Structure formats: C-alpha cells, structure tokens
Amino acid sequence: MAIAKSKIVPHLWFDTEAREAAELYVSIFPDSRIDRVRSIGGTPSGNVDVVSFTLSGQPFMAISAGPAFRFNEAISFLIECADQAEIDYYWAKLGAGGDPAAQQCGWLKDRFGVSWQVNGRDMGQYLGGPDAEGAARASVALQAMEKIDLEALRRAYDGSAA
C-alpha cells in the first residue's frame, strides 16, 4: 500500500489528537491537505485514527494511539522563512496555545507538544558570515531571542546593535 511518493515520511504519535493536529497544520502551511483518515479498531491501543496529510508538499502521517509516547525537543521541524513577516506568521500560528517556556532561539513548542524551528532563510549570513567577530555578536544576540528578529541579527553582525 503506497501512501506517499517520498521515501521518508515523518510519522507522529499523538494521544488522541492526530486528526486535530493535522487539520491545524494544513490550515497553516500552503500547498497542504488531509489526504486520508483511517480508523483502525482492535489495536493494543484500542481504536486509533491514522491520518495521512501533506504539508507544503511533504507527506506526513499521524496516529492517535494513546499516551504511551510524548514529543520532546530531540526532534523538531525546521521552517525556513523568506522574511520577518513569514517568521511572524508561523510563530503566531504554531505558537498559539503552545508552551511559552519552550521558546528560545527560534524554537517553539505547539499546543500538541511538537517542536518547530521558525528560522530565517538568510540567518546563515549573520551566524556564519565571513566576519568572525560579527558572527560571534549575532550568535550572542540569537541566544537572547525567543522569536527570531532578523533585523536585530543584522545589527548585531554589523556591530550597530543598541
């Protein structure tokens, strides 16, 4: 049974919220959809929902199979944003109802406990740019951030931060 054309498909284990999480995620990301929802009865976890969905063209699966496993920060999904407006959009949408204590350096935890890195595509020019002292200043600035502020990183790199 071929579900997706991609060789690697992230598969997320939720307690009971697989369908709810997939619906939220597809409402946030462009080129996204719920592909299929299957209910399977009589599993060791009882009745479970298996949801196949696509986020920005990337296939995912999710299962509602009980509280045996929880998400942690060891796995996260990186969103490379084109600009500050896109960072602000994903930060607001994914962070709504999430854990504010888990926000640092562009990382956040959504209301389901899934970790996301909401980063700017151009951050590397500040954090790994040719000016080693500028990159060090940008790295220090990043450590103090929750949501990424591209302008503040640029100012830190240039040495013009207040």
Side-chain angles (χ1 to χ4, degrees), residues 26-160:
V26 302
S27 76
I28 293 172
F29 292 90
D31 187 26
S32 299
R33 67 189 174 276
I34 302 285
D35 298 308
R36 184 176 180 190
V37 178
R38 289 182 298 135
S39 294
I40 302 170
T43 75
S45 299
N47 295 337
V48 302
D49 283 335
V50 179
V51 183
S52 299
F53 61 105
T54 301
L55 296 181
S56 295
Q58 167 66 45
F60 280 78
M61 291 185 71
I63 189 168
S64 288
F69 302 105
R70 297 281 182 214
F71 295 110
N72 66 49
E73 294 79 4
I75 296 289
S76 63
F77 296 103
L78 173 67
I79 306 166
E80 285 193 341
C81 299
D83 55 28
Q84 189 67 49
E86 197 173 14
I87 289 171
D88 295 346
Y89 169 81
Y90 285 112
W91 190 266
K93 295 291 187 179
L94 291 167
D99 180 0
Q103 298 176 350
Q104 183 179 5
C105 302
W107 291 57
L108 65 82
K109 192 178 282 193
D110 70 22
R111 70 181 195 227
F112 304 106
V114 176
S115 292
W116 299 86
Q117 295 180 58
V118 183
N119 290 340
R121 183 177 301 140
D122 296 332
M123 286 173 53
Q125 69 182 329
Y126 307 124
L127 299 171
D131 175 0
E133 289 180 9
R137 287 189 305 269
S139 180
V140 168
L142 175 66
Q143 300 301 315
M145 292 180 186
E146 291 179 357
K147 178 178 72 172
I148 297 299
D149 180 338
L150 293 174
E151 180 59 21
L153 286 176
R154 184 197 62 75
R155 286 192 317 268
Y157 183 80
D158 290 344
S160 59

